[in-house]
Amino acid sequence: MMDENDLNNDKTNLKTDYLRLKRTSALKKRLSFKDLFFLSLGGQAPFLSLLTYATSVIIYSFIFSPIIIILGSLLVLINGLVVSKLSKKYQEAGGYYIYAMYSLTRRLGLETGWMYIFYSAFYGSAYIVGASFLLHYVFNLNPIISALIVFIPATTFLIMGTKPSAKYAEFSGIIEIAFIALISIIGIYLAHFHFFNPIKEIPPINKIALAILFAIGIPTGYGSITPLSEESINHKDIGKATLMVIIVGGLVISFAVYGLVDAGLYNSQISSIITSSVPILDLLKEDFGIIALIFMIYAAISDGILASLSFMLGTSRTIYAMSQKEMLPSVFSWLRNNEPIMASILTAIIYGGLSLTGLITIKDPFYLFLEFGAIAGLSNVFVHLSANFSLVLSSIRDIKNRAKIIGSYAIGKILNFLINKMTDLIIGAAAILFSLIVLLYSMATVNKIVENLFMGWIIMGFLYAEIVDSMKQNHDH
C-alpha cells in the first residue's frame, strides 16, 4: 500500500511537472473539426465585421450589397482553397510559415512567419480596439478600461490553452451566429415581410470594385487556425474548417445585410443606417429599446474576446514553430502542460502593447480600429501571396518529381495526378492574381503612415533573415 509520504511525493511531482518548462518535439493533438470551425469563426469576428465592413459595403452598393458580400466571399474562397490544399500536405505547427519554408526557401519562410506575426497581431488587436469603441460609444466608458474588459479574458483563455479556448469559442460562436440570424429576421419583420430585389439597381463597376474590397474583409479570419495543424486530431480538418467558415460566415452576414437594408427601405431609415457608425445598434435601439441594445453589446464584447483569442492562438503557434526551427530564440519553444507558454506570454505582451499603446496615443478608438484593420489587410494579402506561390511551386516540384519515375505508374494514375496538380496550379495562379490586385489597389488607398509601417516591417524581416542565416552559417562553420 502507498504510505502518506509516497502520496505527498506524487502530489509534489505532479505539481512540479505542471510548472516545469520543457522542450518537446510536438504539441498534443486535441482539436476536433468542431473546435477548429468555431475558432476560425471567432477569427472571422462576424458581428464586429457586420458593424464595420458591412456598413461600407452598404454605402457603396446600397441594395446590391447582399450580392457584393456573396461575391467577396467567393473571392476569399479562392485563397481558402489554397490554404485547404497546403494544409493537407503539412502537419506541423506554423501554418503559412511552414508552407513557405518547405515550398519556397528558408528565408522566405522566415519572412512569411515574420509577416504573419505582424498581420495576426494587428488583426487581433483591431478587434480589441473595435470592442473598446463600442463600449465607449454606448456607455461612454474610458477606451483603456473598455479594451481591458476584452483583453484580460482573451489572454486568460490563451494561457489556459487550446481546448478551453475552443470550448469558449463554440459557446460564444453559437450565440453570435444566432444574433446575426436574428438581425435578418428583425429586419424583415420591420419591413412587414416585404422583400426587395437586390439586383434591381446594379451600381457602376468602380463602386462594385470598391465595395468588394471591403466585402472580402468579412469572411476573412480562417488564418487564425492555419498554425494549429499540429494540434488538430486530423490535419485535414484545417482545410475543411477553412472552407466551411468562409461559406457560413459569408451567407449569414449577407442575409443580415439583406434584412438591414430591407428594414431601411420600407421604414425610411436607410439614411440613418448609412450615416451611422454603428447602424445595427442604432436601428435596434430605435425600434426595440435598451433590452435589444444590451444583447447586441454582449455579442460585440464576446466577439472582441473571441476574435482576439483566435488570432492570439495563431500568433503564439507561429512563434513556437519559428523557435523550433531556430529562427527565433529557443525559449519560445518551451512548453508547460503541452502548451507553448513562453510563446503565449510574448503574444499577450504584443497584443497588449499594440492595443493599449494605440489607445493611449490615438484617442479615437474607431479611427484606430480602421488603421489597425488597414495594416492587417495589407499584411494579410502579403501572407496569402506567399501561400499562393507555395502551392504553385510545390505543385510544379511534384510534377517534376513524378516525371522522373513516370515509367512505374499506369497511364490512368499519371493522368489523374497531372489533372490534380494542374488544378492546384490554376487555383494558385488565380489566387496570386487576385491577391496582387487587392494589394496594389490597397497600397494606393491607405495613408502614408500605414504604408510606411507595412513596408518597414517587410524590410526589417529581410534584414533579420540575413542575420539569422549569417549566424547559422558561422555556427555550422
Side-chain angles (χ1 to χ4, degrees), residues 37 45 102 152 155 188 196-197 206 231 250 305 315 347 360 363 398 437 444 463:
F37 174 82
Y102 287 134
I152 291 173
T155 304
I188 294 170
F196 72 92
N197 180 6
N206 63 322
E231 294 166 270
I305 294 171
T315 305
T347 298
I360 291 170
K363 304 300 182 183
D398 289 344
I437 291 171
L463 292 174

Side-chain angles (χ1 to χ4, degrees), residues 402-428:
R402 188 60 59 92
K404 294 177 182 177
I405 52 173
I406 195 169
S408 61
Y409 285 85
I411 295 298
K413 289 184 178 180
I414 295 168
L415 288 175
N416 184 56
F417 173 78
L418 288 175
I419 290 171
N420 287 335
K421 290 303 169 185
M422 289 305 295
T423 302
D424 290 355
L425 286 172
I426 292 169
I427 291 172

Side-chain angles (χ1 to χ4, degrees), residues 12-43:
T12 302
N13 289 336
L14 284 171
K15 185 177 180 182
T16 304
D17 287 341
Y18 178 78
L19 293 174
R20 183 183 296 133
L21 301 178
K22 56 183 179 178
R23 294 186 65 178
T24 61
S25 58
L27 297 171
K28 188 176 181 180
K29 294 184 179 295
R30 60 181 97 198
L31 295 176
S32 65
F33 169 80
K34 182 174 67 174
D35 296 331
L36 292 167
F37 174 82
F38 281 105
L39 282 171
S40 183
L41 185 70

Side-chain angles (χ1 to χ4, degrees), residues 11 51 75 85 96 159 178 233 264 306 357 374 405 407 409 411 419 456 459:
K11 288 181 178 178
L51 293 178
L75 290 176
K85 290 181 174 296
Y96 299 99
I159 300 300
I233 295 170
L306 186 52
T357 304
I405 52 173
Y409 285 85
I411 295 298
I419 290 171
I459 293 168

Side-chain angles (χ1 to χ4, degrees), residues 16 64 70 78 80 98 161 181-182 185 225 233 268 286 319 324 350 368 409 416 442 452 454-455 470:
T16 304
F64 196 62
I70 292 173
I78 296 174
I98 290 295
L182 185 63
I185 297 168
I225 65 166
I233 295 170
S268 302
E286 181 177 340
I319 291 172
Q324 284 240 314
I350 292 171
L368 184 63
Y409 285 85
N416 184 56
S442 301
N452 291 339
F454 171 69
M455 294 303 299
S470 297

